[in-house]
């Protein structure tokens, strides 16, 4: 799991970074003393999937709560602070855990286990569902997975393409990919996710999707081709 730390306290950052380093399943992508830089990284097109944000509450320019209010899409968040008084407000933002300083390694591991449990529950819910609700203006529209053809990135938005409609939502590709069941959808390019059941033909560097009007050709990124070939039911000589 990829992690970043946003904390202006160098000593606290050093402790959390050491805990991440000694935990095999964690990978530290970066640390930010400045909350604004951390926000820009998470809201931007970094190319890295961030699974966990370790976030200090008491920072001079922006508090941890301000950071939670500002982010477009939140990874799982583990907050740590020297005071308990922010805990209740932080849980309004669905944070995974709240640690009191000084943080010990056993307590840190307990928080990581909560992250894994939350991921497993989300995966179970996703696999058992057959539909998703998509915000369309002020309404929520029920869309069946079987009706979605492909999803395309468009700057800070994604476009969900169905047989008859398109829905543009303020989401990242990483966030929408996490929402879609992995047995039904596969990312074939940094800008495209396709419905496996709608693939008509796979060519060297593209897939052809069946549409109501005919077909749509979508490029396959080099780094995504192996995953695509693993996800399809393949017969070769």
């Amino acid at each position: 799991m990829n992690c970043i730390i946003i904390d202006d306290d160098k000593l606290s950052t050093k402790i959390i970074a050491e805990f991440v380093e000694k935990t095999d399943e964690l990978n530290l992508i970066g640390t930010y003393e400045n909350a604004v830089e951390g926000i820009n990284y998470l809201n931007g097109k970094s190319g890295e999937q961030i699974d966990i944000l370790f976030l200090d509450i008491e920072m001079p320019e922006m508090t941890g709560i301000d950071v939670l209010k500002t982010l477009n899409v939140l990874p799982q968040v583990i907050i740590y602070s020297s005071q308990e008084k922010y805990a209740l407000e932080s849980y309004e933002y669905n944070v995974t855990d709240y640690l009191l300083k000084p943080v010990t390694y056993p307590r840190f591991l307990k928080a990581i286990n909560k992250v894994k449990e939350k991921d497993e529950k989300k995966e179970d819910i996703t696999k058992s569902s057959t539909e998703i609700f998509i915000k369309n203006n002020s309404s929520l529209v029920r869309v069946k997975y079987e009706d979605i053809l492909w999803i395309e990135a468009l700057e800070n938005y994604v476009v969900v393409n169905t047989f008859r409609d398109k829905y543009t939502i303020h989401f990242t590709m990483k966030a929408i990919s996490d929402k879609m069941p992995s047995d039904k959808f596969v990312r074939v390019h940094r800008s495209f996710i396709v419905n496996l059941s709608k693939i008509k033909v796979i060519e060297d560097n593209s897939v052809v999707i069946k549409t109501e009007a005919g077909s749509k050709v979508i490029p396959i990124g080099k780094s995504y081709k192996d995953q695509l070939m693993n996800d399809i039911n393949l017969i070769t000589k």
Side-chain angles (χ1 to χ4, degrees):
M1 292 181 284
N2 290 337
C3 317
I4 70 165
I5 300 170
I6 301 178
D7 187 355
D8 67 313
D9 185 333
K10 292 183 179 180
L11 178 60
S12 293
T13 297
K14 182 175 183 291
I15 291 170
I16 297 298
E18 287 175 353
F19 289 169
V20 171
E21 181 69 25
K22 69 195 292 187
T23 308
D24 289 342
E25 57 206 315
L26 301 182
N27 176 40
L28 184 61
I29 298 297
T31 62
Y32 296 89
E33 293 181 27
N34 183 296
V36 175
E37 291 178 0
I39 289 169
N40 289 338
Y41 179 87
L42 287 167
N43 282 344
K45 293 185 176 180
S46 64
E48 295 282 1
Q49 170 183 317
I50 302 302
D51 303 293
I52 305 172
L53 164 61
F54 293 99
L55 179 64
D56 186 25
I57 282 285
E58 298 164 294
M59 295 183 286
E61 189 173 359
M62 295 180 71
T63 68
I65 298 297
D66 292 331
V67 172
L68 296 176
K69 290 176 181 177
T70 304
L71 289 173
N72 294 331
V73 179
L74 284 171
Q76 290 209 51
V77 179
I78 296 174
I79 284 180
Y80 54 101
S81 173
S82 59
Q83 301 187 52
E84 293 184 25
K85 64 181 181 180
Y86 304 104
L88 185 60
E89 184 179 4
S90 71
Y91 281 114
E92 293 177 7
Y93 297 90
N94 197 31
V95 301
T96 302
D97 208 349
Y98 191 101
L99 310 182
L100 284 174
K101 297 179 182 179
V103 181
T104 64
Y105 188 58
R107 184 63 183 87
F108 175 89
L109 286 180
K110 185 176 180 180
I112 299 305
N113 286 332
K114 286 186 179 182
V115 169
K116 292 189 289 187
E117 288 170 6
K118 198 170 181 179
D119 272 344
E120 289 168 1
K121 286 179 182 177
K122 182 174 70 174
E123 188 174 335
D124 289 343
I125 291 170
T126 301
K127 284 183 177 179
S128 63
S129 65
T130 60
E131 59 200 17
I132 193 169
F133 281 88
I134 297 176
K135 189 172 183 180
N136 184 35
N137 297 321
S138 60
S139 303
L140 292 173
V141 180
R142 186 197 303 267
V143 178
K144 291 185 178 296
Y145 290 139
E146 64 187 41
D147 291 335
I148 297 174
L149 303 177
W150 76 91
I151 300 166
E152 183 174 353
L154 184 65
E155 294 186 349
N156 293 324
Y157 295 82
V158 297
V159 181
V160 180
N161 294 269
T162 71
F163 275 107
R164 295 176 180 81
D165 299 296
K166 292 182 179 181
Y167 302 97
T168 302
I169 52 178
H170 193 252
F171 241 54
T172 65
M173 285 296 276
K174 190 270 177 187
I176 196 71
S177 180
D178 288 347
K179 291 282 186 183
M180 309 307 288
S182 58
D183 60 328
K184 296 180 176 68
F185 293 88
V186 62
R187 193 166 181 178
V188 297
H189 187 276
R190 66 176 303 186
S191 299
F192 290 96
I193 296 169
V194 301
N195 187 332
L196 283 165
S197 68
K198 306 304 178 186
I199 296 176
K200 184 178 180 181
V201 176
I202 299 176
E203 298 174 342
D204 286 341
N205 298 307
S206 62
V207 295
V208 180
I209 301 292
K210 296 182 292 184
T211 69
E212 192 175 40
S215 61
K216 164 75 173 179
V217 178
I218 292 174
I220 301 173
K222 290 182 180 179
S223 60
Y224 297 94
K225 190 165 187 178
D226 287 345
Q227 184 61 52
L228 171 63
M229 302 312 288
N230 286 335
D231 286 346
I232 62 173
N233 192 5
L234 179 64
I235 298 177
T236 60
K237 289 184 179 179

